[in-house]
Structure formats: structure tokens, C-alpha cells
Amino acid sequence: MASTNGKAPLKITDVTLRDGQQSLIATRMRTSDMVWIAGEMDKIGFHSMEVWGGATFDVAIRFLNEDPWERPRVLKKILSSTPLQMLLRGQNLVGYRHYADDVVVEFVKQAAQAGIDIFRVFDALNDERNIVTSVKAIKECGKHAQLCVCYSLTEPKMGGPIYNLDYYVQKAHVLQDMGADSICIKDMAGLLAPDDAYTLVSTLKKGLKVPLQLHTHDSSGMGMMTCLKAIEAGVDIVDTALAPFALRSAAPAVEPIVAILYGNPRDTGLDLRSLLKLAQYMEETIAPKYREFITTTRFSTIDTGVLVHQIPGGMISNLLLQMKQLNALDRLAEVYDEMPRVRKDLGYPPLVTPTSQIVGVQALYNVLFGRYKQITTQLQDYCYGLYGKPPAPIDPEIQRAVLKSYKKGKTPITSRPADLLEPEMENAREAIKEISHDIRDVLTYVLYPVNGLPYLKIKYGLTPR
């Protein structure tokens, strides 16, 4: 890295091996394809590399037949100079429901031991109660807790009664007071406009004492412009990916940012030729293996409709794959139109896992079967309050209809959802004691009992591969 000499070089977090491939190829990249490239990426001088979390855990056991715990352990040995980063969904961890506190604490402990240095933690509803346990656990492990404000909109731009400047400033300061080592603006759907990025970043930089990072996607085509305005406003770190796994519904590409800032007071100090060599390897050696997962539903490389339907990059590839399997791709436009209606019904939640799946699947069901004629259990859990407090009230009529036949009750809870959960680890240990006593296997099972158990039987040779 180049010396600062009184300047303020921009730091770069690379997300190629996690969010980049999740956004573009449904997280199907195998660990074996990361090994050589990771060693070369370690020489670049990235601030950190995001390599785990999000959907990587689920996909490993469902589709790749890989032990998800091995990836950070393998990469940690290779990435000796670069901190490893993961995405943690607060009380949801890397799953799709809230887990008991004992599961959260043990998961964080094992992730830290596996090699994770920076935990990027968010809650899909920006409900701070849902990240308290994970933040405490991260701190006890002596690791970096990066806490997120999920960026969303109800208007074409930042503003309106919910997602205005005061909302984001207040949320960021709450996270700082909770012990955040850094704050991340998590713009998962590429909704943050360049001028709003400048306003938001410059305002936050005046009041925050911890570093500020920007995570955005190029889904709407604004990603690079948004990054540049955030850099101009003083953001400390931005997320990027190598070009073959950047743009479209993924993060902005690192190469143009490095080139643009060359000789600038915010020069990254990263070597462009080395980055181009890595991108060429990705393009020629790795990407061709996963072409079947690249969406070809449109000619355009961006989806300006995201400014309305707000589907995040990490979900688009999976939604399209699901619709393809249902032979329903011809109804994609209807699903996109239905998404904002469902989101309004549910109190305008930010669309990020798991709320993006809850809203997205319900929108799909509404299109295929009629509005709220078929309801998922996850939607019932959401309306009951098991995911936390939405930014705005849920439509009372929709809420009553959804909870009409709900087994847990018809009156929504108002407490922290995890307070209602009994400890889970002991029962999980008992459930797989004939297969394994490894604590990481226990966590795999408790996180994904339906898919985790068959995977563990395959892992230990109890059923055929």
C-alpha cells in the first residue's frame, strides 16, 4: 500500500467471493475455485475480503456438498495478510428465522475460531434488539463488529415519513452507542442515489467517531456514481468486486474506482495491473464453470425497475432460478409489480434477507394463486412479530387475515422476538449424537435441520453421496 503522506486513501473491501458470486451466480462457486485466486488477492492490499455469510452456508450443504465451516478455515490459511469478513443476519445468523441466544453465541464463537475477523451485522428491519446478542458475542471474542443500517426508500429519493435523513442518522448513532467498531450503510438493492449518498455520508461523518463504510449494488445503474459521491463526501471504505463478478445486480467494479482515484488525495494505492490480471483469471478460468446460473432474462445489464420493486442483488438470481423451475418466468413483470404492494402491506420493511424472501415469495404466490390466497409460514411469523418491529405498522386487515389460522396466536407480540425462544443447543446435540459430537456439526443441524441432517449423514458416510 502507498503511504498516505497526509492524504486519506480510500480503503477497499472486496466482496467477489461472497456477495459478488451470490448476486450473479446464486452462490454456487465452490471453495476449490477460490483457493488460487485468494492467494493472489491476498497480495493486493484490500482492507478486508468478504468470503462467508449470507447464503454461503445454506448453499454449501444443499447444493455443493461442502462443509460450510471449511471455507473460512481454508481461506484463512491462504489470506494471511487480509482480514476475513462475513455477513451475519443478527439473530437470524445465516438462516431464515430467529435462533435462540445460545445458538447465536456459539455460532459467533465458532465463526471467530474458524477465521472470521470482521463481522458485518445487520437486522432486516433495522430493529436493534435483534443484534444485541451477536454484538456482545463478537466483542467477547475480541473481533470487529461492523453494524449496518439497511438502506431503503418509500419515495423515489431519500425522504418521506420513514426513510429520511434523520432516520438514518438516528440509527447510526444507536449502533455506535451499542459498541460498533465501524458503521456500514447497507444499500443492498442499489437504491442510494449519488446526491443522497453525498448528503448522508457527509452528515454521518460529522457526527460519528467510528469509520463509515458503503455497501451498494449496481442493480439500478447508479452504483459507481453513488460510490464516487460517497468518496467525495469522505466515506472511509467502499465495497467492490473484481469486474467479472461485479456490476449488474452485484457491487461496483474495483478496477474503475482504482483508476479514477489514481493520483487523487483518495488514491487507493492498489495496483491496477494486478487487479486486471486477477479479473482475467476470473473471466477465463472460473466464470465459465457457472454460466448456467447467469440470468439472461433481459438484454439490459441493469434493472431500473429495482427503483420500484427494490429486490436486492443477492435475491434476484435466486428468485429467477425459482421462477424458472416453476416455469413462471413469463410472469416476472407481474411479480415485480406486486412486490411494492406487498411491501406496503407489511409496513415497508427494507428488502434484505430474510424480509426480501418473505416479501418476494408472497408476491410470487399472490401472482400465481391470488392475493394472500396462499400464505407462507414465514409471513405468519412476520405478522406475529417474530422478526421484530417493522418501520411502519402492518396493514391491520392483512395482518388479521394472515394470522387467522396461525397456531401461535392472533395477537402480535411486542417484545424482542428472541426472548420467546427456549435454548436450542442441547436438543440439537441430542438429535445428532449418533452422527457427530462436533459443535460445528451441531450448529449446522440447528441452523438447517431439514437440509442439515441429510448433509451430515452424507458427510459421515451414513448415506450415499
Side-chain angles (χ1 to χ4, degrees):
M1 293 287 287
S3 171
T4 60
N5 294 325
K7 300 178 182 180
L10 178 72
K11 296 178 181 179
I12 300 288
T13 289
D14 178 85
V15 299
T16 305
L17 302 183
R18 205 289 300 174
D19 197 34
Q21 61 123 348
Q22 179 169 325
S23 296
L24 299 184
I25 59 169
T27 329
R28 294 307 201 273
M29 191 185 296
R30 293 183 174 277
T31 303
S32 58
D33 281 327
M34 301 179 183
V35 171
W36 183 87
I37 195 79
E40 294 302 305
M41 292 173 81
D42 191 43
K43 302 173 185 177
I44 295 295
F46 292 122
H47 167 72
S48 63
M49 284 177 58
E50 186 187 70
V51 300
W52 207 50
T56 59
F57 208 100
D58 181 19
V59 171
I61 62 174
R62 270 209 290 167
F63 302 113
L64 306 182
N65 195 30
E66 290 185 0
D67 186 338
W69 293 100
E70 281 303 302
R71 183 170 297 177
R73 294 169 69 178
V74 168
L75 293 178
K76 187 64 177 178
K77 294 176 182 178
I78 300 168
L79 294 161
S80 57
S81 302
T82 310
L84 263 60
Q85 185 166 317
M86 79 163 292
L87 183 67
L88 192 76
R89 302 168 184 153
Q91 205 75 27
N92 289 76
L93 297 175
V94 289
Y96 305 106
R97 68 170 177 87
H98 279 199
Y99 300 94
D101 287 337
D102 64 331
V103 180
V104 174
V105 172
E106 191 60 53
F107 182 91
V108 169
K109 177 182 175 182
Q110 294 303 321
Q113 291 180 6
I116 300 302
D117 302 296
I118 300 173
F119 290 78
R120 174 176 288 174
V121 187
F122 75 92
D123 177 68
L125 297 176
N126 285 330
D127 187 339
E128 300 85 7
R129 300 174 302 170
N130 293 332
I131 66 172
V132 169
T133 301
S134 52
V135 171
K136 182 180 178 182
I138 293 164
K139 291 290 191 177
E140 289 177 351
C141 290
K143 300 297 182 177
H144 183 111
Q146 181 177 91
L147 308 186
C148 298
V149 182
C150 293
Y151 188 83
S152 192
L153 298 170
T154 59
E155 318 294 320
K157 299 285 287 293
M158 182 171 65
I162 302 174
Y163 297 113
N164 49 49
L165 182 61
D166 288 342
Y167 172 89
Y168 292 113
V169 170
Q170 185 267 333
K171 288 291 181 183
H173 281 275
V174 168
L175 297 179
Q176 180 173 257
D177 293 342
M178 289 177 66
D181 295 302
S182 60
I183 301 290
C184 177
I185 303 167
K186 183 174 172 57
D187 177 29
M188 52 278 175
L191 303 176
L192 180 58
D195 55 340
D196 286 340
Y198 185 89
T199 300
L200 180 56
V201 170
S202 57
T203 302
L204 289 175
K205 285 295 294 179
K206 291 176 184 176
L208 293 178
K209 300 176 182 178
V210 297
L212 181 64
Q213 185 154 353
L214 173 64
H215 170 87
T216 190
H217 287 247
D218 208 54
S219 309
S220 66
M222 297 192 296
M224 182 64 71
M225 294 181 286
T226 294
C227 278
L228 290 177
K229 291 302 289 185
I231 293 166
E232 183 182 337
V235 75
D236 299 287
I237 316 158
V238 298
D239 286 5
T240 64
L242 293 171
F245 286 90
L247 306 177
R248 292 159 285 184
S249 58
V254 63
E255 299 89 345
I257 289 180
V258 170
I260 290 168
L261 296 180
Y262 182 77
N264 183 285
R266 305 229 55 195
D267 191 329
T268 64
L270 305 185
D271 182 65
L272 183 58
R273 287 185 176 84
S274 296
L275 291 169
L276 295 176
K277 179 182 177 182
L278 292 175
Q280 183 178 5
Y281 177 84
M282 278 284 192
E283 184 70 51
E284 297 177 354
T285 306
I286 296 180
K289 299 180 182 181
Y290 303 98
R291 288 193 185 280
E292 65 180 294
F293 299 106
I294 294 288
T295 176
T296 56
T297 58
R298 56 171 56 237
F299 185 77
S300 175
T301 58
I302 64 172
D303 175 16
T304 50
V306 73
L307 298 170
V308 177
H309 61 66
Q310 300 195 19
I311 300 175
M315 181 192 171
I316 286 177
S317 58
N318 285 290
L319 175 65
L320 293 173
L321 196 60
Q322 290 168 353
M323 294 189 69
K324 182 178 180 181
Q325 292 167 346
L326 291 170
N327 198 28
L329 275 175
D330 60 322
R331 307 195 71 178
L332 181 60
E334 294 175 71
V335 175
Y336 281 175
D337 287 342
E338 180 65 8
M339 286 281 289
R341 289 193 284 268
V342 173
R343 182 169 174 255
K344 180 181 179 181
D345 293 341
L346 300 184
Y348 291 107
L351 294 187
V352 62
T353 303
T355 53
S356 57
Q357 282 79 2
I358 293 171
V359 173
V361 171
Q362 193 57 51
L364 176 59
Y365 283 5
N366 285 0
V367 167
L368 296 180
F369 310 116
R371 299 202 85 226
Y372 301 102
K373 298 297 183 183
Q374 186 164 324
I375 295 169
T376 66
T377 302
Q378 289 73 27
L379 180 63
Q380 291 179 314
D381 290 343
Y382 176 92
C383 288
Y384 189 64
L386 294 186
Y387 286 92
K389 183 181 179 181
I394 299 172
D395 183 299
E397 186 176 335
I398 298 295
Q399 192 168 33
R400 281 193 295 270
V402 169
L403 296 178
K404 185 177 180 180
S405 58
Y406 188 52
K407 295 179 180 179
K408 294 180 181 177
K410 297 178 177 58
T411 304
I413 66 168
T414 56
S415 62
R416 184 181 79 110
D419 288 341
L420 303 181
L421 300 176
E422 297 292 332
E424 299 182 66
M425 289 299 294
E426 196 56 46
N427 288 340
R429 285 189 182 93
E430 182 67 20
I432 68 164
K433 66 180 182 180
E434 303 298 330
I435 302 174
S436 172
H437 294 281
D438 188 310
I439 188 63
R440 291 172 180 172
D441 289 334
V442 175
L443 284 165
T444 297
Y445 170 75
V446 77
L447 289 168
Y448 294 104
V450 174
N451 296 311
L453 188 58
Y455 163 75
L456 292 173
K457 289 180 177 179
I458 293 172
K459 177 182 176 181
Y460 289 103
L462 300 177
T463 57
R465 181 177 292 272

